[in-house]
Amino acid sequence: QLQLVESGGGLVQAGGSLRLSCTASGRSLSNYVLGWWRQAPGKERELVSAITWSEGLTYYDDSVKGRFATSRDNARNTVYLQMNSLMPEDTAVYLCAAKVRGADRSEYRYWGQGTQVTVSS
């Protein structure tokens, strides 16, 4: 069973930065894609970024392109989400999730508990 634990959320002023971490355990990630999702109150959960564990190929939603960056540390089994130029609309619970590479984005099977990010104006 793959387990994911996020950390790094908090309160930051608009224009500030935060780095989220997601550490995985339980199985090899070599065939997985790690995604960062977020859910704001009253809104649907959305995928903001993803990275293939083996090659480090990345995806970004248009809303975060140029501001967020996803990376991974193979030795630490950890994926990071560096968030810069944060805006109040980035306020949400951020969740790390994993799916088998090639699976549809609706098939993220493993989820962390989430970490709150609040951006004040």
Side-chain angles (χ1 to χ4, degrees):
Q1 187 80 350
L2 181 59
Q3 295 180 326
L4 304 171
V5 178
E6 304 100 331
S7 61
L11 173 65
V12 64
Q13 289 188 329
S17 298
L18 282 174
R19 189 178 78 159
L20 306 183
S21 300
C22 172
T23 300
S25 62
R27 62 176 59 184
S28 169
L29 295 174
S30 59
N31 195 38
Y32 282 84
V33 176
L34 279 293
W36 285 102
W37 293 71
R38 67 184 180 188
Q39 186 158 24
K43 294 187 177 181
E44 289 190 0
R45 188 173 293 183
E46 61 176 349
L47 178 66
V48 296
S49 183
I51 187 167
T52 62
W53 191 260
S54 295
E55 295 90 356
L57 301 174
T58 55
Y59 157 84
Y60 298 99
D61 184 78
D62 286 346
S63 64
V64 304
K65 275 181 183 175
R67 300 189 299 121
F68 289 12
T70 295
S71 62
R72 82 232 191 273
D73 183 331
N74 294 60
R76 296 177 185 271
N77 249 26
T78 298
V79 62
Y80 302 99
L81 183 66
Q82 178 66 44
M83 305 185 294
N84 301 322
S85 302
L86 282 161
M87 302 183 293
E89 47 265 49
D90 294 317
T91 295
V93 174
Y94 283 72
L95 303 107
C96 176
K99 70 176 180 78
V100 174
R101 187 173 180 179
D104 185 78
R105 69 167 56 183
S106 64
E107 297 181 66
Y108 276 88
R109 180 177 178 185
Y110 302 99
W111 293 84
Q113 81 285 357
T115 185
Q116 177 70 45
V117 171
T118 302
V119 185
S120 63
S121 56

Short mmCIF file of all heavy atoms in Angstrom, two decimals, residues 26-96:
data_model
loop_
_atom_site.label_atom_id
_atom_site.label_comp_id
_atom_site.label_asym_id
_atom_site.label_seq_id
_atom_site.Cartn_x
_atom_site.Cartn_y
_atom_site.Cartn_z
N GLY A 26 5.96 2.73 1.18
CA GLY A 26 5.14 1.55 0.98
C GLY A 26 5.40 0.77 -0.30
O GLY A 26 5.15 -0.42 -0.35
N ARG A 27 5.83 1.48 -1.33
CA ARG A 27 6.16 0.78 -2.57
C ARG A 27 6.99 1.68 -3.46
O ARG A 27 7.05 2.90 -3.27
CB ARG A 27 4.91 0.31 -3.31
CG ARG A 27 3.97 1.38 -3.77
CD ARG A 27 2.83 0.79 -4.58
NE ARG A 27 2.07 -0.20 -3.83
CZ ARG A 27 1.07 -0.91 -4.35
NH1 ARG A 27 0.72 -0.73 -5.61
NH2 ARG A 27 0.41 -1.78 -3.62
N SER A 28 7.59 1.07 -4.46
CA SER A 28 8.39 1.82 -5.41
C SER A 28 7.50 2.75 -6.25
O SER A 28 6.39 2.39 -6.62
CB SER A 28 9.12 0.86 -6.34
OG SER A 28 9.70 1.55 -7.42
N LEU A 29 8.02 3.92 -6.54
CA LEU A 29 7.27 4.90 -7.31
C LEU A 29 7.61 4.88 -8.79
O LEU A 29 7.12 5.72 -9.55
CB LEU A 29 7.53 6.30 -6.75
CG LEU A 29 7.02 6.55 -5.33
CD1 LEU A 29 7.47 7.93 -4.86
CD2 LEU A 29 5.51 6.43 -5.26
N SER A 30 8.45 3.95 -9.20
CA SER A 30 9.00 4.00 -10.56
C SER A 30 7.93 3.99 -11.64
O SER A 30 8.15 4.52 -12.72
CB SER A 30 9.96 2.83 -10.77
OG SER A 30 9.28 1.60 -10.59
N ASN A 31 6.77 3.44 -11.39
CA ASN A 31 5.72 3.37 -12.39
C ASN A 31 4.55 4.29 -12.07
O ASN A 31 3.45 4.12 -12.59
CB ASN A 31 5.19 1.93 -12.51
CG ASN A 31 4.37 1.72 -13.77
OD1 ASN A 31 4.69 2.24 -14.83
ND2 ASN A 31 3.29 0.95 -13.66
N TYR A 32 4.82 5.31 -11.27
CA TYR A 32 3.75 6.19 -10.82
C TYR A 32 3.92 7.62 -11.29
O TYR A 32 5.03 8.07 -11.61
CB TYR A 32 3.67 6.18 -9.29
CG TYR A 32 2.98 4.95 -8.74
CD1 TYR A 32 3.68 3.77 -8.55
CD2 TYR A 32 1.62 4.98 -8.44
CE1 TYR A 32 3.05 2.65 -8.07
CE2 TYR A 32 0.98 3.86 -7.94
CZ TYR A 32 1.70 2.69 -7.76
OH TYR A 32 1.07 1.58 -7.28
N VAL A 33 2.81 8.30 -11.31
CA VAL A 33 2.75 9.75 -11.49
C VAL A 33 2.27 10.34 -10.17
O VAL A 33 1.29 9.86 -9.59
CB VAL A 33 1.78 10.15 -12.61
CG1 VAL A 33 1.66 11.67 -12.70
CG2 VAL A 33 2.22 9.55 -13.94
N LEU A 34 2.99 11.34 -9.69
CA LEU A 34 2.59 12.04 -8.47
C LEU A 34 1.95 13.36 -8.86
O LEU A 34 2.53 14.13 -9.62
CB LEU A 34 3.81 12.30 -7.58
CG LEU A 34 4.32 11.16 -6.68
CD1 LEU A 34 3.28 10.84 -5.61
CD2 LEU A 34 4.65 9.92 -7.46
N GLY A 35 0.77 13.60 -8.33
CA GLY A 35 0.05 14.81 -8.66
C GLY A 35 -0.22 15.66 -7.43
O GLY A 35 -0.36 15.16 -6.33
N TRP A 36 -0.26 16.97 -7.67
CA TRP A 36 -0.68 17.92 -6.64
C TRP A 36 -2.06 18.44 -7.03
O TRP A 36 -2.23 19.03 -8.10
CB TRP A 36 0.29 19.08 -6.53
CG TRP A 36 1.57 18.74 -5.83
CD1 TRP A 36 2.79 18.49 -6.38
CD2 TRP A 36 1.75 18.63 -4.41
NE1 TRP A 36 3.71 18.22 -5.42
CE2 TRP A 36 3.09 18.30 -4.18
CE3 TRP A 36 0.90 18.76 -3.30
CZ2 TRP A 36 3.62 18.12 -2.91
CZ3 TRP A 36 1.43 18.59 -2.04
CH2 TRP A 36 2.76 18.26 -1.84
N TRP A 37 -3.01 18.20 -6.16
CA TRP A 37 -4.38 18.66 -6.35
C TRP A 37 -4.67 19.73 -5.30
O TRP A 37 -3.99 19.81 -4.28
CB TRP A 37 -5.37 17.51 -6.18
CG TRP A 37 -5.28 16.44 -7.21
CD1 TRP A 37 -4.29 15.52 -7.36
CD2 TRP A 37 -6.24 16.16 -8.22
NE1 TRP A 37 -4.57 14.69 -8.41
CE2 TRP A 37 -5.77 15.05 -8.96
CE3 TRP A 37 -7.47 16.74 -8.59
CZ2 TRP A 37 -6.49 14.51 -10.04
CZ3 TRP A 37 -8.18 16.21 -9.64
CH2 TRP A 37 -7.69 15.11 -10.36
N ARG A 38 -5.71 20.51 -5.56
CA ARG A 38 -6.16 21.44 -4.54
C ARG A 38 -7.67 21.53 -4.56
O ARG A 38 -8.31 21.31 -5.60
CB ARG A 38 -5.54 22.83 -4.72
CG ARG A 38 -5.98 23.59 -5.97
CD ARG A 38 -5.21 24.89 -6.07
NE ARG A 38 -5.60 25.66 -7.26
CZ ARG A 38 -4.97 26.76 -7.67
NH1 ARG A 38 -3.91 27.21 -6.98
NH2 ARG A 38 -5.39 27.40 -8.73
N GLN A 39 -8.21 21.82 -3.39
CA GLN A 39 -9.65 21.98 -3.28
C GLN A 39 -9.96 23.17 -2.39
O GLN A 39 -9.59 23.19 -1.21
CB GLN A 39 -10.32 20.73 -2.72
CG GLN A 39 -11.83 20.81 -2.72
CD GLN A 39 -12.49 19.46 -2.68
OE1 GLN A 39 -11.91 18.47 -2.23
NE2 GLN A 39 -13.72 19.39 -3.18
N ALA A 40 -10.61 24.15 -2.98
CA ALA A 40 -11.03 25.34 -2.26
C ALA A 40 -12.49 25.15 -1.83
O ALA A 40 -13.24 24.40 -2.46
CB ALA A 40 -10.88 26.57 -3.15
N PRO A 41 -12.91 25.84 -0.79
CA PRO A 41 -14.29 25.72 -0.32
C PRO A 41 -15.29 26.02 -1.43
O PRO A 41 -15.18 27.04 -2.12
CB PRO A 41 -14.37 26.76 0.79
CG PRO A 41 -12.98 26.90 1.28
CD PRO A 41 -12.11 26.73 0.07
N GLY A 42 -16.23 25.12 -1.63
CA GLY A 42 -17.27 25.33 -2.62
C GLY A 42 -16.86 25.07 -4.05
O GLY A 42 -17.63 25.30 -4.98
N LYS A 43 -15.62 24.60 -4.24
CA LYS A 43 -15.13 24.36 -5.60
C LYS A 43 -14.75 22.89 -5.76
O LYS A 43 -14.49 22.19 -4.79
CB LYS A 43 -13.93 25.24 -5.91
CG LYS A 43 -14.25 26.73 -5.96
CD LYS A 43 -13.05 27.52 -6.44
CE LYS A 43 -13.38 28.99 -6.56
NZ LYS A 43 -12.21 29.78 -7.05
N GLU A 44 -14.70 22.47 -7.01
CA GLU A 44 -14.28 21.11 -7.29
C GLU A 44 -12.77 20.96 -7.10
O GLU A 44 -12.02 21.93 -7.26
CB GLU A 44 -14.65 20.74 -8.74
CG GLU A 44 -16.13 20.56 -8.96
CD GLU A 44 -16.44 19.96 -10.32
OE1 GLU A 44 -15.48 19.69 -11.08
OE2 GLU A 44 -17.62 19.77 -10.62
N ARG A 45 -12.38 19.75 -6.79
CA ARG A 45 -10.95 19.48 -6.68
C ARG A 45 -10.32 19.59 -8.07
O ARG A 45 -10.89 19.12 -9.06
CB ARG A 45 -10.76 18.07 -6.13
CG ARG A 45 -9.36 17.70 -5.79
CD ARG A 45 -9.31 16.35 -5.09
NE ARG A 45 -9.94 16.40 -3.78
CZ ARG A 45 -9.98 15.36 -2.95
NH1 ARG A 45 -9.45 14.19 -3.30
NH2 ARG A 45 -10.56 15.47 -1.78
N GLU A 46 -9.16 20.23 -8.14
CA GLU A 46 -8.50 20.41 -9.43
C GLU A 46 -7.04 19.99 -9.35
O GLU A 46 -6.38 20.17 -8.33
CB GLU A 46 -8.60 21.87 -9.90
CG GLU A 46 -7.96 22.88 -8.99
CD GLU A 46 -8.00 24.30 -9.56
OE1 GLU A 46 -8.35 24.48 -10.74
OE2 GLU A 46 -7.67 25.23 -8.80
N LEU A 47 -6.57 19.45 -10.46
CA LEU A 47 -5.17 19.04 -10.57
C LEU A 47 -4.35 20.26 -10.99
O LEU A 47 -4.60 20.82 -12.05
CB LEU A 47 -5.03 17.92 -11.59
CG LEU A 47 -3.62 17.41 -11.84
CD1 LEU A 47 -3.06 16.72 -10.60
CD2 LEU A 47 -3.60 16.45 -13.03
N VAL A 48 -3.39 20.64 -10.19
CA VAL A 48 -2.58 21.82 -10.53
C VAL A 48 -1.24 21.44 -11.12
O VAL A 48 -0.68 22.20 -11.91
CB VAL A 48 -2.38 22.75 -9.32
CG1 VAL A 48 -3.71 23.32 -8.86
CG2 VAL A 48 -1.68 22.05 -8.18
N SER A 49 -0.72 20.27 -10.77
CA SER A 49 0.59 19.89 -11.28
C SER A 49 0.78 18.39 -11.10
O SER A 49 0.12 17.77 -10.25
CB SER A 49 1.70 20.63 -10.53
OG SER A 49 2.97 20.33 -11.07
N ALA A 50 1.67 17.83 -11.92
CA ALA A 50 1.98 16.41 -11.80
C ALA A 50 3.39 16.16 -12.32
O ALA A 50 3.92 16.96 -13.10
CB ALA A 50 0.97 15.56 -12.56
N ILE A 51 3.97 15.06 -11.89
CA ILE A 51 5.31 14.70 -12.32
C ILE A 51 5.42 13.19 -12.42
O ILE A 51 4.92 12.46 -11.56
CB ILE A 51 6.36 15.28 -11.34
CG1 ILE A 51 7.77 15.05 -11.86
CG2 ILE A 51 6.19 14.71 -9.93
CD1 ILE A 51 8.83 15.87 -11.11
N THR A 52 6.04 12.74 -13.50
CA THR A 52 6.30 11.31 -13.63
C THR A 52 7.54 10.99 -12.81
O THR A 52 8.56 11.67 -12.91
CB THR A 52 6.53 10.88 -15.09
OG1 THR A 52 7.70 11.55 -15.59
CG2 THR A 52 5.34 11.26 -15.95
N TRP A 53 7.47 9.96 -11.99
CA TRP A 53 8.56 9.68 -11.07
C TRP A 53 9.84 9.28 -11.81
O TRP A 53 10.93 9.70 -11.46
CB TRP A 53 8.17 8.61 -10.08
CG TRP A 53 9.17 8.49 -8.99
CD1 TRP A 53 10.16 7.57 -8.86
CD2 TRP A 53 9.30 9.38 -7.87
NE1 TRP A 53 10.91 7.82 -7.74
CE2 TRP A 53 10.40 8.92 -7.12
CE3 TRP A 53 8.61 10.52 -7.45
CZ2 TRP A 53 10.81 9.56 -5.95
CZ3 TRP A 53 9.01 11.15 -6.29
CH2 TRP A 53 10.10 10.67 -5.55
N SER A 54 9.69 8.48 -12.86
CA SER A 54 10.88 7.95 -13.53
C SER A 54 11.64 9.02 -14.31
O SER A 54 12.86 9.13 -14.20
CB SER A 54 10.48 6.81 -14.47
OG SER A 54 9.98 5.72 -13.76
N GLU A 55 10.91 9.80 -15.12
CA GLU A 55 11.59 10.76 -15.99
C GLU A 55 11.55 12.19 -15.48
O GLU A 55 12.28 13.04 -15.98
CB GLU A 55 10.96 10.75 -17.40
CG GLU A 55 11.14 9.44 -18.15
CD GLU A 55 10.00 8.50 -17.86
OE1 GLU A 55 9.13 8.85 -17.03
OE2 GLU A 55 9.97 7.41 -18.45
N GLY A 56 10.66 12.45 -14.53
CA GLY A 56 10.54 13.82 -14.06
C GLY A 56 9.80 14.73 -15.02
O GLY A 56 9.96 15.96 -14.96
N LEU A 57 8.99 14.17 -15.90
CA LEU A 57 8.18 14.99 -16.81
C LEU A 57 7.08 15.66 -16.00
O LEU A 57 6.47 15.04 -15.15
CB LEU A 57 7.58 14.12 -17.91
CG LEU A 57 8.58 13.37 -18.79
CD1 LEU A 57 7.85 12.44 -19.75
CD2 LEU A 57 9.46 14.33 -19.55
N THR A 58 6.83 16.93 -16.32
CA THR A 58 5.89 17.69 -15.51
C THR A 58 4.70 18.21 -16.30
O THR A 58 4.77 18.39 -17.52
CB THR A 58 6.58 18.88 -14.82
OG1 THR A 58 7.23 19.66 -15.83
CG2 THR A 58 7.59 18.41 -13.81
N TYR A 59 3.63 18.45 -15.58
CA TYR A 59 2.41 19.06 -16.10
C TYR A 59 2.01 20.17 -15.15
O TYR A 59 2.16 20.04 -13.93
CB TYR A 59 1.28 18.02 -16.17
CG TYR A 59 -0.09 18.65 -16.17
CD1 TYR A 59 -0.67 19.11 -17.35
CD2 TYR A 59 -0.79 18.81 -14.98
CE1 TYR A 59 -1.92 19.71 -17.33
CE2 TYR A 59 -2.04 19.41 -14.96
CZ TYR A 59 -2.60 19.86 -16.14
OH TYR A 59 -3.83 20.46 -16.12
N TYR A 60 1.51 21.27 -15.72
CA TYR A 60 0.99 22.37 -14.92
C TYR A 60 -0.33 22.87 -15.49
O TYR A 60 -0.45 23.04 -16.70
CB TYR A 60 1.98 23.54 -14.88
CG TYR A 60 3.31 23.18 -14.25
CD1 TYR A 60 4.40 22.87 -15.04
CD2 TYR A 60 3.45 23.14 -12.86
CE1 TYR A 60 5.62 22.52 -14.47
CE2 TYR A 60 4.65 22.80 -12.29
CZ TYR A 60 5.73 22.49 -13.09
OH TYR A 60 6.92 22.14 -12.52
N ASP A 61 -1.26 23.12 -14.61
CA ASP A 61 -2.48 23.78 -15.03
C ASP A 61 -2.16 25.21 -15.43
O ASP A 61 -1.22 25.82 -14.88
CB ASP A 61 -3.50 23.75 -13.89
CG ASP A 61 -4.83 24.33 -14.30
OD1 ASP A 61 -5.58 23.63 -14.97
OD2 ASP A 61 -5.10 25.49 -13.93
N ASP A 62 -2.93 25.76 -16.34
CA ASP A 62 -2.67 27.12 -16.80
C ASP A 62 -2.68 28.13 -15.66
O ASP A 62 -1.97 29.14 -15.71
CB ASP A 62 -3.70 27.53 -17.84
CG ASP A 62 -3.46 26.85 -19.19
OD1 ASP A 62 -2.37 26.30 -19.39
OD2 ASP A 62 -4.38 26.88 -20.03
N SER A 63 -3.47 27.86 -14.64
CA SER A 63 -3.61 28.82 -13.55
C SER A 63 -2.34 28.96 -12.72
O SER A 63 -2.19 29.94 -11.98
CB SER A 63 -4.77 28.41 -12.64
OG SER A 63 -4.51 27.17 -12.02
N VAL A 64 -1.41 28.00 -12.82
CA VAL A 64 -0.20 28.05 -12.00
C VAL A 64 1.08 28.07 -12.83
O VAL A 64 2.18 28.17 -12.26
CB VAL A 64 -0.16 26.86 -11.01
CG1 VAL A 64 -1.42 26.84 -10.15
CG2 VAL A 64 0.06 25.54 -11.73
N LYS A 65 0.96 28.00 -14.14
CA LYS A 65 2.15 27.99 -14.98
C LYS A 65 2.97 29.24 -14.75
O LYS A 65 2.44 30.36 -14.72
CB LYS A 65 1.75 27.89 -16.46
CG LYS A 65 1.52 26.49 -16.95
CD LYS A 65 1.16 26.48 -18.42
CE LYS A 65 0.85 25.07 -18.88
NZ LYS A 65 0.38 25.03 -20.29
N GLY A 66 4.26 29.06 -14.63
CA GLY A 66 5.16 30.18 -14.41
C GLY A 66 5.28 30.59 -12.95
O GLY A 66 6.15 31.39 -12.61
N ARG A 67 4.41 30.05 -12.10
CA ARG A 67 4.45 30.41 -10.67
C ARG A 67 4.80 29.20 -9.80
O ARG A 67 5.47 29.35 -8.77
CB ARG A 67 3.11 30.97 -10.22
CG ARG A 67 2.68 32.22 -10.96
CD ARG A 67 1.45 32.85 -10.33
NE ARG A 67 0.28 31.97 -10.34
CZ ARG A 67 -0.35 31.57 -9.24
NH1 ARG A 67 0.06 31.96 -8.05
NH2 ARG A 67 -1.42 30.79 -9.33
N PHE A 68 4.32 28.03 -10.18
CA PHE A 68 4.55 26.81 -9.39
C PHE A 68 5.56 25.92 -10.12
O PHE A 68 5.61 25.91 -11.36
CB PHE A 68 3.25 26.02 -9.23
CG PHE A 68 2.23 26.66 -8.32
CD1 PHE A 68 2.35 27.97 -7.87
CD2 PHE A 68 1.14 25.92 -7.89
CE1 PHE A 68 1.41 28.55 -7.04
CE2 PHE A 68 0.18 26.47 -7.05
CZ PHE A 68 0.32 27.78 -6.64
N ALA A 69 6.30 25.16 -9.36
CA ALA A 69 7.25 24.21 -9.94
C ALA A 69 7.25 22.93 -9.11
O ALA A 69 7.33 22.98 -7.88
CB ALA A 69 8.65 24.81 -9.98
N THR A 70 7.16 21.81 -9.81
CA THR A 70 7.16 20.50 -9.16
C THR A 70 8.48 19.80 -9.43
O THR A 70 8.97 19.82 -10.57
CB THR A 70 5.99 19.64 -9.71
OG1 THR A 70 4.75 20.25 -9.34
CG2 THR A 70 6.04 18.24 -9.14
N SER A 71 9.02 19.20 -8.40
CA SER A 71 10.26 18.44 -8.54
C SER A 71 10.20 17.23 -7.64
O SER A 71 9.29 17.09 -6.82
CB SER A 71 11.45 19.32 -8.18
OG SER A 71 11.36 19.75 -6.83
N ARG A 72 11.19 16.34 -7.81
CA ARG A 72 11.21 15.15 -6.95
C ARG A 72 12.62 14.86 -6.52
O ARG A 72 13.59 15.21 -7.20
CB ARG A 72 10.62 13.93 -7.67
CG ARG A 72 11.58 13.20 -8.62
CD ARG A 72 10.97 13.03 -9.95
NE ARG A 72 11.75 12.12 -10.78
CZ ARG A 72 12.78 12.52 -11.53
NH1 ARG A 72 13.18 13.78 -11.50
NH2 ARG A 72 13.42 11.65 -12.29
N ASP A 73 12.71 14.20 -5.38
CA ASP A 73 13.99 13.76 -4.85
C ASP A 73 13.88 12.25 -4.70
O ASP A 73 13.23 11.75 -3.77
CB ASP A 73 14.26 14.44 -3.50
CG ASP A 73 15.60 14.08 -2.92
OD1 ASP A 73 16.12 12.98 -3.19
OD2 ASP A 73 16.16 14.92 -2.18
N ASN A 74 14.53 11.53 -5.61
CA ASN A 74 14.39 10.08 -5.61
C ASN A 74 14.93 9.46 -4.32
O ASN A 74 14.35 8.51 -3.79
CB ASN A 74 15.13 9.49 -6.81
CG ASN A 74 14.50 9.89 -8.11
OD1 ASN A 74 14.42 11.07 -8.44
ND2 ASN A 74 14.05 8.93 -8.88
N ALA A 75 16.00 10.01 -3.82
CA ALA A 75 16.62 9.43 -2.62
C ALA A 75 15.72 9.56 -1.40
O ALA A 75 15.72 8.71 -0.51
CB ALA A 75 17.97 10.09 -2.36
N ARG A 76 14.95 10.65 -1.37
CA ARG A 76 14.08 10.88 -0.23
C ARG A 76 12.65 10.42 -0.48
O ARG A 76 11.79 10.57 0.40
CB ARG A 76 14.07 12.37 0.11
CG ARG A 76 15.41 12.90 0.56
CD ARG A 76 15.34 14.42 0.81
NE ARG A 76 16.64 14.98 1.13
CZ ARG A 76 17.13 15.08 2.35
NH1 ARG A 76 16.43 14.66 3.38
NH2 ARG A 76 18.34 15.60 2.55
N ASN A 77 12.38 9.91 -1.69
CA ASN A 77 11.02 9.49 -2.04
C ASN A 77 10.02 10.62 -1.82
O ASN A 77 8.90 10.41 -1.35
CB ASN A 77 10.58 8.26 -1.23
CG ASN A 77 10.45 7.02 -2.11
OD1 ASN A 77 11.10 6.91 -3.14
ND2 ASN A 77 9.61 6.10 -1.69
N THR A 78 10.44 11.80 -2.19
CA THR A 78 9.66 13.01 -1.89
C THR A 78 9.46 13.84 -3.14
O THR A 78 10.38 13.99 -3.94
CB THR A 78 10.35 13.84 -0.80
OG1 THR A 78 10.44 13.06 0.40
CG2 THR A 78 9.58 15.12 -0.52
N VAL A 79 8.26 14.36 -3.29
CA VAL A 79 7.96 15.29 -4.36
C VAL A 79 7.64 16.65 -3.73
O VAL A 79 7.07 16.70 -2.63
CB VAL A 79 6.79 14.79 -5.24
CG1 VAL A 79 5.52 14.66 -4.44
CG2 VAL A 79 6.56 15.68 -6.44
N TYR A 80 8.04 17.71 -4.41
CA TYR A 80 7.89 19.05 -3.88
C TYR A 80 7.01 19.89 -4.82
O TYR A 80 7.01 19.68 -6.03
CB TYR A 80 9.24 19.74 -3.74
CG TYR A 80 10.20 19.00 -2.85
CD1 TYR A 80 11.19 18.17 -3.40
CD2 TYR A 80 10.12 19.12 -1.47
CE1 TYR A 80 12.07 17.49 -2.59
CE2 TYR A 80 11.02 18.43 -0.65
CZ TYR A 80 11.98 17.62 -1.22
OH TYR A 80 12.85 16.94 -0.41
N LEU A 81 6.31 20.84 -4.24
CA LEU A 81 5.60 21.84 -5.01
C LEU A 81 6.05 23.20 -4.51
O LEU A 81 5.67 23.62 -3.41
CB LEU A 81 4.09 21.70 -4.86
CG LEU A 81 3.26 22.68 -5.70
CD1 LEU A 81 3.45 22.40 -7.19
CD2 LEU A 81 1.78 22.61 -5.33
N GLN A 82 6.88 23.86 -5.30
CA GLN A 82 7.33 25.21 -4.97
C GLN A 82 6.32 26.18 -5.53
O GLN A 82 6.06 26.20 -6.74
CB GLN A 82 8.71 25.47 -5.58
CG GLN A 82 9.24 26.87 -5.34
CD GLN A 82 9.52 27.15 -3.88
OE1 GLN A 82 10.10 26.32 -3.19
NE2 GLN A 82 9.11 28.33 -3.40
N MET A 83 5.74 26.98 -4.66
CA MET A 83 4.69 27.91 -5.05
C MET A 83 5.18 29.33 -4.84
O MET A 83 5.46 29.72 -3.70
CB MET A 83 3.41 27.65 -4.24
CG MET A 83 2.93 26.22 -4.34
SD MET A 83 1.35 25.95 -3.49
CE MET A 83 1.84 26.25 -1.80
N ASN A 84 5.30 30.08 -5.92
CA ASN A 84 5.76 31.46 -5.87
C ASN A 84 4.65 32.40 -6.33
O ASN A 84 3.68 31.97 -6.97
CB ASN A 84 7.00 31.63 -6.75
CG ASN A 84 8.14 30.75 -6.33
OD1 ASN A 84 8.39 30.52 -5.14
ND2 ASN A 84 8.89 30.24 -7.30
N SER A 85 4.82 33.66 -6.04
CA SER A 85 3.84 34.68 -6.45
C SER A 85 2.42 34.24 -6.11
O SER A 85 1.50 34.32 -6.93
CB SER A 85 3.96 34.94 -7.96
OG SER A 85 5.26 35.35 -8.31
N LEU A 86 2.26 33.81 -4.89
CA LEU A 86 0.96 33.29 -4.47
C LEU A 86 -0.10 34.37 -4.47
O LEU A 86 0.18 35.55 -4.17
CB LEU A 86 1.07 32.65 -3.10
CG LEU A 86 1.71 31.24 -3.10
CD1 LEU A 86 2.20 30.87 -1.72
CD2 LEU A 86 0.71 30.22 -3.62
N MET A 87 -1.31 33.95 -4.81
CA MET A 87 -2.45 34.87 -4.88
C MET A 87 -3.55 34.35 -3.97
O MET A 87 -3.61 33.14 -3.69
CB MET A 87 -2.95 34.94 -6.33
CG MET A 87 -1.89 35.38 -7.32
SD MET A 87 -2.49 35.56 -9.00
CE MET A 87 -2.87 33.89 -9.44
N PRO A 88 -4.44 35.21 -3.52
CA PRO A 88 -5.53 34.75 -2.65
C PRO A 88 -6.33 33.60 -3.26
O PRO A 88 -6.79 32.71 -2.53
CB PRO A 88 -6.39 36.00 -2.48
CG PRO A 88 -5.41 37.13 -2.59
CD PRO A 88 -4.43 36.69 -3.63
N GLU A 89 -6.45 33.58 -4.58
CA GLU A 89 -7.21 32.49 -5.22
C GLU A 89 -6.49 31.15 -5.18
O GLU A 89 -7.05 30.13 -5.58
CB GLU A 89 -7.59 32.85 -6.66
CG GLU A 89 -6.46 33.40 -7.48
CD GLU A 89 -6.45 34.92 -7.48
OE1 GLU A 89 -6.54 35.55 -6.40
OE2 GLU A 89 -6.34 35.51 -8.59
N ASP A 90 -5.24 31.14 -4.71
CA ASP A 90 -4.53 29.88 -4.52
C ASP A 90 -4.89 29.23 -3.19
O ASP A 90 -4.46 28.10 -2.90
CB ASP A 90 -3.01 30.10 -4.57
CG ASP A 90 -2.53 30.53 -5.94
OD1 ASP A 90 -2.99 29.96 -6.94
OD2 ASP A 90 -1.68 31.45 -5.99
N THR A 91 -5.64 29.92 -2.36
CA THR A 91 -6.05 29.38 -1.07
C THR A 91 -6.87 28.11 -1.25
O THR A 91 -7.86 28.10 -1.98
CB THR A 91 -6.87 30.42 -0.28
OG1 THR A 91 -6.02 31.53 0.03
CG2 THR A 91 -7.42 29.82 1.00
N ALA A 92 -6.41 27.04 -0.61
CA ALA A 92 -7.08 25.74 -0.76
C ALA A 92 -6.38 24.72 0.13
O ALA A 92 -5.30 25.00 0.67
CB ALA A 92 -7.03 25.26 -2.21
N VAL A 93 -6.99 23.57 0.25
CA VAL A 93 -6.29 22.41 0.79
C VAL A 93 -5.56 21.75 -0.38
O VAL A 93 -6.18 21.46 -1.41
CB VAL A 93 -7.26 21.41 1.44
CG1 VAL A 93 -6.52 20.15 1.87
CG2 VAL A 93 -7.96 22.05 2.64
N TYR A 94 -4.29 21.55 -0.21
CA TYR A 94 -3.47 20.93 -1.25
C TYR A 94 -3.23 19.47 -0.88
O TYR A 94 -2.82 19.17 0.25
CB TYR A 94 -2.16 21.68 -1.42
CG TYR A 94 -2.33 22.96 -2.18
CD1 TYR A 94 -2.97 24.06 -1.60
CD2 TYR A 94 -1.88 23.08 -3.50
CE1 TYR A 94 -3.17 25.23 -2.30
CE2 TYR A 94 -2.07 24.26 -4.21
CZ TYR A 94 -2.71 25.33 -3.61
OH TYR A 94 -2.90 26.49 -4.30
N LEU A 95 -3.46 18.60 -1.85
CA LEU A 95 -3.34 17.17 -1.62
C LEU A 95 -2.38 16.56 -2.62
O LEU A 95 -2.41 16.89 -3.81
CB LEU A 95 -4.69 16.48 -1.75
CG LEU A 95 -5.80 17.00 -0.84
CD1 LEU A 95 -6.82 17.79 -1.64
CD2 LEU A 95 -6.48 15.85 -0.10
N CYS A 96 -1.57 15.68 -2.13
CA CYS A 96 -0.68 14.88 -2.96
C CYS A 96 -1.40 13.56 -3.27
O CYS A 96 -2.07 13.00 -2.40
CB CYS A 96 0.61 14.63 -2.19
SG CYS A 96 1.79 13.58 -3.02
#
